[in-house]
Amino acid sequence: MRITRLLAVVFSAAILLPVPATAASAAPIGSYVALGDSYTSGPFVPVQRLDPLGCGRSTANYPSVLAAALRAGRFTDVSCAGADTTNMTRPQGVPFNGTNPPQLGALRIDTDLVTLGIGGNDYGVFSSLTSTCPGLRASDPTGNPCERHFDGSVTSAIDNIGPRVEAVLAAIHERAPRARVLLVGYPRIAPDKGYCPDVLPFADGDYAWLNSVEEALNRTLADAADADGKAEFVDTFGPSRGHDACARGGSAWINGKDQNVFEAAAYHPLKTGMAGIAAVVLKALR
């Protein structure tokens, strides 16, 4: 899917999303910087950039699609798979002997727009779920073995992510004082109804728990933006309803358990998901 076709998807989606009558058009963007983890960078979403290859940074991730839609004069994407809040100020080692510099180093005093997608890797929240839950399904296919396994530790970890994100937001404002800052949440992985164990191999009862974990993480991010007082939280969980990993007919925004090096990493956004997220962020900018 070429960038022109992706833009068509973005604008079509933006038309379908309700926009208040008072909403103004997005102001011209002179300089846009994208920060974040793999849900921002887009590992395996074609075409992958090489700077460095280990970051899994796609030319069709939502920042790239957004930058094209906004006709940003200068676009800098330093998002990187595996990043957590500490990698905003520290270098990150990545596969193939690469290093991604501290992401906040991309900010300038004249930066106009910053998008930030971070938090899911802190305390190993997402990696713990995707590495542990599928293996527990066989022990209790209709129950909630993963929820019982973690016994509240995941939500406790999420509670500690908020202050880290608040610190990142404060540092962004310090380095780019005139920038509009959007903190982008995580889209829905599991459906609100039904199951698809061939795609998302969690136990049936753990689907609702997975949704509750994502809701807690997004709520923590929203609270961090509120506490910051300047940044704006962009909800992608609500708008991605019906576009979860179980969605059929090409409407899924999220890949399932199968890693596809020509499409998307397991449990990560597909190209269609990146276009959908870009539409949600574009609406927030109006």
Side-chain angles (χ1 to χ4, degrees):
M1 188 184 294
R2 296 182 182 276
I3 192 71
T4 51
R5 188 175 169 195
L6 272 173
L7 288 176
V9 173
V10 168
F11 285 115
S12 296
I15 290 171
L16 294 175
L17 289 168
V19 180
T22 56
S25 297
I29 301 298
S31 174
Y32 166 33
V33 175
L35 314 170
D37 57 25
S38 56
Y39 266 63
T40 301
S41 67
F44 300 141
V45 175
V47 174
Q48 293 283 290
R49 288 169 49 176
L50 306 177
D51 54 344
L53 176 62
C55 276
R57 197 178 296 145
S58 172
T59 58
N61 60 15
Y62 78 76
S64 298
V65 178
L66 184 64
L70 295 172
R71 295 193 174 104
R74 184 173 65 249
F75 169 52
T76 306
D77 180 5
V78 291
S79 61
C80 191
D84 61 23
T85 52
T86 66
N87 299 122
M88 299 300 105
T89 55
R90 300 178 194 169
Q92 177 187 353
V94 298
F96 311 109
N97 295 318
T99 300
N100 198 48
Q103 292 191 28
L104 294 189
L107 299 174
R108 295 169 37 158
I109 196 167
D110 64 345
T111 300
D112 296 309
L113 173 66
V114 178
T115 58
L116 170 67
I118 204 71
N121 290 326
D122 284 69
Y123 302 105
V125 169
F126 273 174
S127 61
S128 295
L129 298 181
T130 57
S131 64
T132 303
C133 295
L136 296 176
R137 175 180 166 83
S139 67
D140 188 4
T142 61
N144 60 336
C146 201
E147 180 181 11
R148 296 197 311 270
H149 172 83
F150 285 105
D151 191 28
S153 62
V154 172
T155 50
S156 295
I158 289 173
D159 290 340
N160 294 322
I161 292 173
R164 289 186 169 198
V165 176
E166 288 179 41
V168 171
L169 293 173
I172 291 172
H173 298 314
E174 183 177 354
R175 293 172 182 245
R178 79 181 202 190
R180 186 172 178 183
V181 181
L182 302 184
L183 178 58
V184 181
Y186 291 91
R188 182 186 296 268
I189 299 173
D192 55 346
K193 295 179 181 179
Y195 316 103
C196 61
D198 56 324
V199 175
L200 191 61
F202 285 45
D204 294 355
D206 280 326
Y207 276 55
W209 178 67
L210 175 59
N211 276 328
S212 73
V213 168
E214 277 209 85
E215 288 174 322
L217 177 57
N218 281 312
R219 188 165 53 249
T220 292
L221 297 178
D223 289 346
D226 286 344
D228 174 76
K230 298 177 184 177
E232 306 163 53
F233 176 70
V234 180
D235 171 38
T236 64
F237 187 85
S240 60
R241 183 178 184 183
H243 299 289
D244 52 81
C246 293
R248 305 293 182 178
S251 60
W253 286 10
I254 302 295
N255 189 25
K257 65 179 176 61
D258 295 326
Q259 192 107 298
N260 188 331
V261 297
F262 301 107
E263 192 170 39
Y267 307 111
H268 278 74
L270 299 154
K271 186 176 284 191
T272 51
M274 288 299 185
I277 294 170
V280 175
V281 178
L282 184 63
K283 175 181 175 289
L285 285 168
R286 292 185 183 276

